[in-house]
Amino acid sequence: ISEPVEFHRLALVVIDEQHGFGVGQRRKLKERSVENYVPHFLSMTATPIPRTVALTLYGELDVSVIKEKPKGRKPIITRIATEQNRDVAYAFIANQIDRGRQVFVVCPLIDSSDELEVTSVEETFAALQDGPFKKYRVAMLHGKMKPSEKEEIMKKMVGREIDVLVATSVIEVGVDVPNASVMMIEGAERFGLAQLHQFRGRIGRAE
């Protein structure tokens, strides 16, 4: 989609992960065809986002639904834990780790904020490492880290060298850790529906 790129006769555009593209980006794709074609669009998403609903209702959009999940996927159970039940949630997570599983803990912020009363990755990492999960291997991952650092952390997570990974929404897409069985989301109201749906997709990726 970058500036100098022009297409000779662009006839078909397949957009994977539709929720990751803006209206402006898709408009650019339409405008870039030299012969002024309006290409056919195939937009793909596993995420129920308002734009998809709006296009279905008001746009010229035919909907195809792939109902089959990848083989072996387990249904995802979602629970809301209040602050009073935090210890119960931690005990559940510890039980999963003791059974050889791994866990994601997702936070809305990297650094702590006085204005927003939301837990950050750094705060949560310190609290878990020194508190309820001190006997486990806890690591953190966020967007401010160097690419090489992020890659190293994810390699360790995939290689089962980390029990609990405290992260921001950087793990929203493209992360495949089949051994992860739980994701705890702090301040879930800070995330959009599409993000929460994507987070759920990181769990239950194995039999």
Side-chain angles (χ1 to χ4, degrees), residues 6 15 54 85 88 118-119 131 138 184 189 206:
E6 286 187 346
I15 295 180
N85 286 332
V88 177
V118 183
T119 51
V138 184
M184 184 177 191
E189 73 281 358

Side-chain angles (χ1 to χ4, degrees), residues 104-149:
F104 289 108
V105 177
V106 180
C107 303
L109 299 176
I110 297 173
D111 310 306
S112 56
S113 165
D114 294 330
E115 293 172 25
L116 303 171
E117 291 181 10
V118 183
T119 51
S120 68
V121 166
E122 292 180 345
E123 279 178 309
T124 304
F125 169 70
L128 295 181
Q129 193 178 43
D130 299 334
F133 301 143
K134 60 185 172 188
K135 69 174 186 176
Y136 302 115
R137 298 164 298 177
V138 184
M140 70 172 165
L141 180 73
H142 56 72
K144 283 187 183 175
M145 295 166 79
K146 292 176 183 172
S148 57
E149 288 178 306

Side-chain angles (χ1 to χ4, degrees), residues 6 14 37 42 65 79 89 91 115 126 131 147 153-154 169 188 194 202:
E6 286 187 346
V14 181
Y37 273 52
L42 176 61
V65 180
R79 291 279 183 271
E115 293 172 25
I153 292 288
M154 280 316 302
S169 58
R202 303 307 104 209

Side-chain angles (χ1 to χ4, degrees), residues 37-193:
Y37 273 52
V38 175
H40 293 285
F41 269 75
L42 176 61
S43 294
M44 302 170 70
T45 182
T47 307
I49 56 174
R51 187 194 304 141
T52 310
V53 177
L55 283 169
T56 306
L57 290 173
Y58 307 115
E60 291 183 4
L61 187 71
D62 294 322
V63 181
S64 298
V65 180
I66 301 171
K67 290 183 178 178
E68 301 84 13
K69 288 185 179 178
K71 198 177 176 186
R73 286 279 177 95
K74 295 283 188 229
I76 308 303
I77 300 164
T78 303
R79 291 279 183 271
I80 296 172
T82 60
E83 196 58 42
Q84 293 91 322
N85 286 332
R86 184 173 285 276
D87 290 343
V88 177
Y90 285 157
F92 176 77
I93 288 171
N95 177 261
Q96 289 290 307
I97 300 169
D98 290 339
R99 290 165 63 184
R101 304 302 238 162
Q102 291 161 283
V103 175
F104 289 108
V105 177
V106 180
C107 303
L109 299 176
I110 297 173
D111 310 306
S112 56
S113 165
D114 294 330
E115 293 172 25
L116 303 171
E117 291 181 10
V118 183
T119 51
S120 68
V121 166
E122 292 180 345
E123 279 178 309
T124 304
F125 169 70
L128 295 181
Q129 193 178 43
D130 299 334
F133 301 143
K134 60 185 172 188
K135 69 174 186 176
Y136 302 115
R137 298 164 298 177
V138 184
M140 70 172 165
L141 180 73
H142 56 72
K144 283 187 183 175
M145 295 166 79
K146 292 176 183 172
S148 57
E149 288 178 306
K150 288 191 276 192
E151 199 175 316
E152 184 63 26
I153 292 288
M154 280 316 302
K155 264 187 191 169
K156 285 184 175 179
M157 187 69 176
V158 172
R160 302 190 185 190
E161 295 174 50
I162 293 169
D163 299 314
V164 180
L165 183 60
V166 185
T168 55
S169 58
V170 291
I171 57 131
E172 190 181 325
V173 287
V175 171
D176 188 13
V177 183
N179 192 48
S181 61
V182 180
M183 178 178 288
M184 184 177 191
I185 301 173
E186 296 279 0
E189 73 281 358
R190 294 271 167 189
F191 296 101
L193 180 64

